[in-house]
């Protein structure tokens, strides 16, 4: 076919059009890349070039109710290395090694690594401020200082399960450290720079620093002094009775605030890896469930009085057992208590009497009160790992189950549930939600970020019923089975508990949990104290809550009430002394006497008391305990000397030792 000139022209036109279209497409692509995709491509490039050395803020402290640190982060700067940026590796290693206390060849080996970022271990981790200052003065390329932190515990194992533990990256693992991890952690920062693929700095590019933000402080409701009292009593109980475990709680029943919470076994949170996982993972005070025994009778008593099913003056006869559905349930006292009033039933912790109260209430009413008091459900305390407890299902409750539940057998509860239930009796009938965090504060300014307000869960009983139950429980301590908790002038009210431990569907012979729960003063309770001792081994072989646990709670309440400034009173139910009981001794009044007169009075009247003298002067200006108060035999009376009795005073808080 012959190609004409016209055909050639048409082909050239088409070729030119295709070429123009290609140029237009290329120009469009260039515009798209340069303008439309510019931001995205720049971001991608920056992501490839950008390197960040992490900076961590200081983890917040955990404080007691007065603001004293129970745990805090000790500043611990560390050295980070970007090996590709270190040009003079030998010289840098030579200068760093003596500062860090490391061998020069070991530092050099790290500097020669091909990784992007490295720690200089071990000398470069958690350095002193002097080391940091020396390294910064050298101003070496590729060497960066970052802040790390190590938790410090000024009071050792104090409240260990409450505080909790942190991991290798300072993250909260248990306790408050876990529950409030986000508040304690703060915000991370970093030193950002741009580097080539081999790690070298991009020319003309500097560093930018994003400071880290410190975490907030968490202020607890725990009272440091009361917590120490509780742990002292636990240590003494462990030494004397060698139990499997012990748990104790002190609470303010008016608010639900927990003032102390401690367990045995415990651990050192600074070295928690040395302890068994079951010790640092479980806070027995909120996790452990067990049959409460007679402390649970407070619920049965409260329900019966609220429903007008009993008058404490009414009579009851205990032959030593109670027949239920063909079963004979025996009283703890062989032969029974005989004729008694229902107040005596409470004082004596008489099981047949409480079975009778359970029958009067019926299963539906009794179990409705059990649930109202918070059993069978979590209290909602602001700590991780809380247990629910176990109750019979209504369909499973027959006459026998009703009878055993009425005196605290066959149900499973937690210590914190029992404390909050008694709290409802103490404060006039309101079940409170427990809490251990008072507020969260800015670490630097102390400004409150958030705070916990007391929360009423529900009203359980009337204020008049609560007052009647408190009176009965005061009688338990003054004239009944809780006598060893009695302290003159403190009006302690409470209930004993001795529960056999069930295992694999059977009760273990000789294995008991003994407990006592008490409140004071009975007319207006400011504190509740509870202790449970699992499997004690007393030398005399007597395993009863009234013998082992009651005096411990008495000691805790006595010291704790003094700590919060509650003065003794003498208008409570008088103590009924039994054979073998130690009778308190009245303290003479030394105040206002000359030193010579005080010494003569001490020799004449205080043969069973110890007297110590503090200060200097020629007269006694103050004393503790006060004259006229009653104390146990062997107690110590502190006399404070001065020159002018009329103008001298003493701060009770400063008299404590």
């Amino acid at each position: 076919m012959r190609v004409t000139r016209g055909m050639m022209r048409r082909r050239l036109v088409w070729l030119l059009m295709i070429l123009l279209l290609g140029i237009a497409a290329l120009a469009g692509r260039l515009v798209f890349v340069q303008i439309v995709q510019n931001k995205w491509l720049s971001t991608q490039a920056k992501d490839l070039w950008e390197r960040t050395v992490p900076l961590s803020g200081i983890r917040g402290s955990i404080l007691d109710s007065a603001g004293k640190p129970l745990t805090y982060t000790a500043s611990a700067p560390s050295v980070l290395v970007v090996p590709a940026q270190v040009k003079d590796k030998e010289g840098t290693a030579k200068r760093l090694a003596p500062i860090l206390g490391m061998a020069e060849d070991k530092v050099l080996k790290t500097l020669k690594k091909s990784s992007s970022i490295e720690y200089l271990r071990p000398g470069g981790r958690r350095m002193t401020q002097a080391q940091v200052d020396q390294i910064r003065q050298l101003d070496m390329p590729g060497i960066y200082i970052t802040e790390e932190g190590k938790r410090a515990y000024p009071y050792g194992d104090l409240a260990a399960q409450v505080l909790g533990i942190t991991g290798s990256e300072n993250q909260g693992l248990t306790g408050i450290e876990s529950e409030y991890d986000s508040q304690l952690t703060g915000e991370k920062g970093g030193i950002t720079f741009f580097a080539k693929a081999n790690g070298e700095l991009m020319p003309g590019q500097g560093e930018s620093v994003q400071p880290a933000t410190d975490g907030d402080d968490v202020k607890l409701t725990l009272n440091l002094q009361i917590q120490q009292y509780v742990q002292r009593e636990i240590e003494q109980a462990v030494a004397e009775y060698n139990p499997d475990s012990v748990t104790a709680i002190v609470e303010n029943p008016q608010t639900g605030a927990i003032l102390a919470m401690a367990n045995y076994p415990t651990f050192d949170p600074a070295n928690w890896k040395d302890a068994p996982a079951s010790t640092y993972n479980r806070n027995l005070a909120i996790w452990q469930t067990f049959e409460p025994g007679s402390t649970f009778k407070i619920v049965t008593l409260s329900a019966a009085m609220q429903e007008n099913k009993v008058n404490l003056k009414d009579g009851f006869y205990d032959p030593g057992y109670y027949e239920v559905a063909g079963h004979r349930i025996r009283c703890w006292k062989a032969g029974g208590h005989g004729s008694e009033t229902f107040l005596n039933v409470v004082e004596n912790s008489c099981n047949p009497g409480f079975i009778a109260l359970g029958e009067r209430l019926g299963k539906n009413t009794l179990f409705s009160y059990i649930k109202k008091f918070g059993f069978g459900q979590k209290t909602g305390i602001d700590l991780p790992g809380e247990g629910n407890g176990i109750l019979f299902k209504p369909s499973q409750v027959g006459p026998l189950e009703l009878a055993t539940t009425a005196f605290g057998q066959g149900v499973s509860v937690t210590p914190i549930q029992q404390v909050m239930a008694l709290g409802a009796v103490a404060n006039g009938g309101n079940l409170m939600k427990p809490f251990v965090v008072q507020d969260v504060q800015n670490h630097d300014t102390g400004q409150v970020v958030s705070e916990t307000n007391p929360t009423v869960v529900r009203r359980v009983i009337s204020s008049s019923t609560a007052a009647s139950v408190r009176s009965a429980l005061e009688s338990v301590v003054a004239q009944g089975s809780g006598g060893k908790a009695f302290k003159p002038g403190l009006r302690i009210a409470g209930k004993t508990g001795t529960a056999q431990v069930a295992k694999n569907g059977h009760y273990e012979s000789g294995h008991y949990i003994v407990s006592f729960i008490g409140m004071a003063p009975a007319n207006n309770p400011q504190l509740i104290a509870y202790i449970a001792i699992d499997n004690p081994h007393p030398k005399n072989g007597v395993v009863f809550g009234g013998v082992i646990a009651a005096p411990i709670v008495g000691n805790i309440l006595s010291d704790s009430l003094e700590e919060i400034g509650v003065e003794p009173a003498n208008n409570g139910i008088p103590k009924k002394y039994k054979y073998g009981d130690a009778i308190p001794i009245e303290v003479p009044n030394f105040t206002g006497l000359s030193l010579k007169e005080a010494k003569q009075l001490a020799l004449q009247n205080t043969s069973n008391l110890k007297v110590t003298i503090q200060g200097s002067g020629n007269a006694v200006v103050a004393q503790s305990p006060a004259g006229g108060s009653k104390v146990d035999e062997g107690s110590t009376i502190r006399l404070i000397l001065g020159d002018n009795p009329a103008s001298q005073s003493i701060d009770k808080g400063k008299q404590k030792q």
Side-chain angles (χ1 to χ4, degrees):
M1 178 179 169
R2 183 167 165 267
V3 179
T4 64
R5 186 176 297 223
M7 293 173 65
M8 288 288 293
R9 188 179 292 114
R10 285 193 296 273
R11 290 178 179 178
L12 287 172
V13 169
W14 280 107
L15 183 61
L16 181 60
M17 290 178 67
I18 292 170
L19 182 61
L20 289 173
L21 285 171
I23 293 172
L26 186 61
R29 177 64 179 168
L30 186 62
V31 170
F32 179 75
V33 170
Q34 291 289 334
I35 299 175
V36 178
Q37 286 195 312
N38 178 268
K39 187 176 181 180
W40 180 79
L41 289 171
S42 297
T43 302
Q44 293 293 100
K46 287 179 69 177
D47 287 345
L48 290 173
W49 303 330
E50 193 175 82
R51 304 285 188 275
T52 299
V53 176
L55 296 176
S56 297
I58 298 174
R59 187 174 179 86
S61 301
I62 301 177
L63 316 172
D64 85 326
S65 60
K68 296 178 182 178
L70 301 180
T71 180
Y72 62 91
T73 297
S75 180
S78 295
V79 177
L80 277 176
V81 176
V82 180
Q85 296 178 15
V86 182
K87 301 301 182 184
D88 182 9
K89 299 185 187 301
E90 286 77 10
T92 300
K94 188 173 183 178
R95 290 191 290 271
L96 278 176
I99 297 174
L100 302 180
M102 294 175 62
E104 188 176 322
D105 59 342
K106 190 168 184 179
V107 176
L108 183 60
K109 184 178 179 181
T110 301
L111 298 180
K112 288 183 176 180
K113 288 186 176 181
S114 58
S115 53
S116 57
I117 297 177
E118 284 287 337
Y119 279 104
L120 276 172
R121 292 183 172 90
R125 300 296 298 271
R126 300 188 170 100
M127 301 178 298
T128 65
Q129 190 58 47
Q131 290 174 303
V132 172
D133 293 340
Q134 292 180 63
I135 292 172
R136 282 180 173 154
Q137 288 174 4
L138 294 175
D139 192 24
M140 295 174 286
I143 306 300
Y144 298 90
I145 303 295
T146 183
E147 284 286 340
E148 291 189 293
K150 183 178 181 180
R151 288 306 241 180
Y153 301 88
Y155 300 100
D157 66 356
L158 189 92
Q161 281 98 347
V162 175
L163 299 180
I165 59 175
T166 56
S168 59
E169 300 300 323
N170 262 348
Q171 76 279 23
L173 299 179
T174 66
I176 291 295
E177 297 279 21
S178 172
E179 191 76 5
Y180 286 81
D181 187 53
S182 59
Q183 291 92 332
L184 290 163
T185 299
E187 299 291 335
K188 290 186 179 294
I191 302 171
T192 301
F193 56 87
F194 295 95
K196 300 176 184 178
N198 63 1
E200 295 181 6
L201 283 173
M202 297 281 287
Q205 298 289 332
E207 298 175 351
S208 64
V209 179
Q210 175 63 47
T213 303
D214 293 342
D216 292 328
D217 293 340
V218 174
K219 187 176 183 179
L220 304 183
T221 58
L222 297 188
N223 180 301
L224 175 61
Q225 190 64 60
I226 294 177
Q227 182 75 28
Q228 289 176 326
Y229 291 150
V230 169
Q231 295 198 196
R232 174 201 67 194
E233 293 297 326
I234 289 178
E235 289 173 5
Q236 291 177 357
V238 170
E240 186 171 356
Y241 301 115
N242 190 29
D244 293 345
S245 67
V246 183
T247 189
I249 303 171
V250 177
E251 181 233 5
N252 178 347
Q254 307 301 327
T255 64
I258 303 301
L259 306 187
M261 181 179 285
N263 304 288
Y264 166 82
T266 188
F267 66 99
D268 177 6
N271 300 291
W272 59 268
K273 292 182 180 178
D274 297 337
S278 59
T279 300
Y280 60 73
N281 274 335
R282 298 171 181 170
N283 182 347
L284 298 180
I286 65 171
W287 173 84
Q288 186 181 27
T289 60
F290 52 88
E291 291 188 3
S294 294
T295 54
F296 197 74
K297 292 173 180 174
I298 295 171
V299 177
T300 305
L301 175 64
S302 299
M305 296 189 73
Q306 181 67 34
E307 294 295 318
N308 295 315
K309 299 295 184 182
V310 66
N311 183 322
L312 295 183
K313 296 179 181 178
D314 291 346
F316 178 80
Y317 183 78
D318 170 26
Y321 60 88
Y322 199 97
E323 293 278 357
V324 179
H327 293 79
R328 180 171 286 190
I329 301 176
R330 297 190 179 279
C331 182
W332 64 267
K333 182 180 180 182
H337 295 92
S339 294
E340 54 185 346
T341 65
F342 269 99
L343 178 58
N344 299 142
V345 166
V346 179
E347 292 173 345
N348 297 329
S349 196
C350 176
N351 287 349
F354 278 92
I355 295 173
L357 293 182
E359 288 183 345
R360 293 183 186 184
L361 286 164
K363 75 171 184 179
N364 292 333
T365 302
L366 177 58
F367 274 81
S368 71
Y369 275 93
I370 290 172
K371 290 181 179 179
K372 284 180 184 178
F373 271 103
F375 295 101
Q377 56 198 288
K378 294 180 180 180
T379 64
I381 191 171
D382 46 350
L383 284 170
E386 183 180 7
N388 286 302
I390 303 171
L391 301 178
F392 287 119
K393 294 180 181 179
S395 60
Q396 297 174 332
V397 178
L400 189 60
E401 289 75 22
L402 175 62
T404 59
T405 299
F407 63 84
Q409 185 175 301
V411 294
S412 180
V413 305
T414 64
I416 190 65
Q417 287 173 341
Q418 295 190 78
V419 169
M420 302 317 296
L422 184 63
V425 175
N427 65 33
N430 289 321
L431 180 69
M432 304 298 293
K433 180 180 179 180
F435 61 99
V436 294
V437 171
Q438 183 172 309
D439 56 50
V440 177
Q441 306 175 354
N442 181 282
H443 179 75
D444 299 316
T445 67
Q447 183 178 0
V448 174
V449 176
S450 63
E451 60 184 333
T452 306
N453 295 313
T455 301
V456 177
V457 178
R458 70 181 71 91
R459 175 163 283 281
V460 182
I461 55 177
S462 68
S463 59
S464 59
T465 296
S468 297
V469 174
R470 291 197 302 269
S471 178
L473 296 179
E474 183 181 6
S475 189
V476 169
V477 174
Q479 302 189 357
S481 59
K484 289 189 178 296
F486 185 84
K487 295 289 181 180
L490 297 187
R491 298 196 63 180
I492 295 174
K495 189 72 190 72
T496 60
T498 306
Q500 198 167 8
V501 175
K503 188 175 182 179
N504 299 323
H506 300 282
Y507 288 104
E508 288 190 288
S509 177
H511 187 176
Y512 295 90
I513 294 179
V514 297
S515 60
F516 188 87
I517 190 164
M519 56 185 162
N523 59 319
N524 182 25
Q526 300 301 303
L527 294 177
I528 285 177
Y530 171 82
I531 192 163
I533 304 173
D534 184 1
N535 204 19
H537 297 86
K539 293 178 181 178
N540 61 8
V542 178
V543 182
F544 286 113
V547 175
I548 296 174
I552 297 174
V553 168
N555 292 339
I556 292 173
L557 286 173
S558 177
D559 290 337
S560 300
L561 288 169
E562 184 179 357
E563 168 65 21
I564 65 173
V566 176
E567 296 288 340
N570 295 314
N571 58 344
I573 297 174
K575 171 71 172 175
K576 180 180 179 181
Y577 290 99
K578 301 175 183 177
Y579 177 77
D581 286 346
I583 299 177
I585 300 170
E586 184 172 323
V587 178
N589 187 8
F590 293 92
T591 304
L593 300 180
S594 68
L595 179 57
K596 182 178 180 180
E597 291 170 335
K599 287 182 177 179
Q600 290 176 344
L601 181 60
L603 290 172
Q604 292 171 4
N605 299 300
T606 59
S607 58
N608 292 318
L609 297 174
K610 301 174 184 176
V611 177
T612 62
I613 297 174
Q614 298 176 2
S616 59
N618 57 18
V620 178
V621 297
Q623 71 180 75
S624 178
S629 59
K630 292 185 177 182
V631 297
D632 293 333
E633 184 177 343
S635 296
T636 298
I637 312 303
R638 293 185 290 275
L639 305 183
I640 313 301
L641 298 182
D643 292 324
N644 186 358
S647 62
Q648 298 287 336
S649 63
I650 188 70
D651 181 350
K652 278 190 176 183
K654 293 178 181 178
Q655 293 182 35
K656 294 177 187 175
Q657 293 182 339

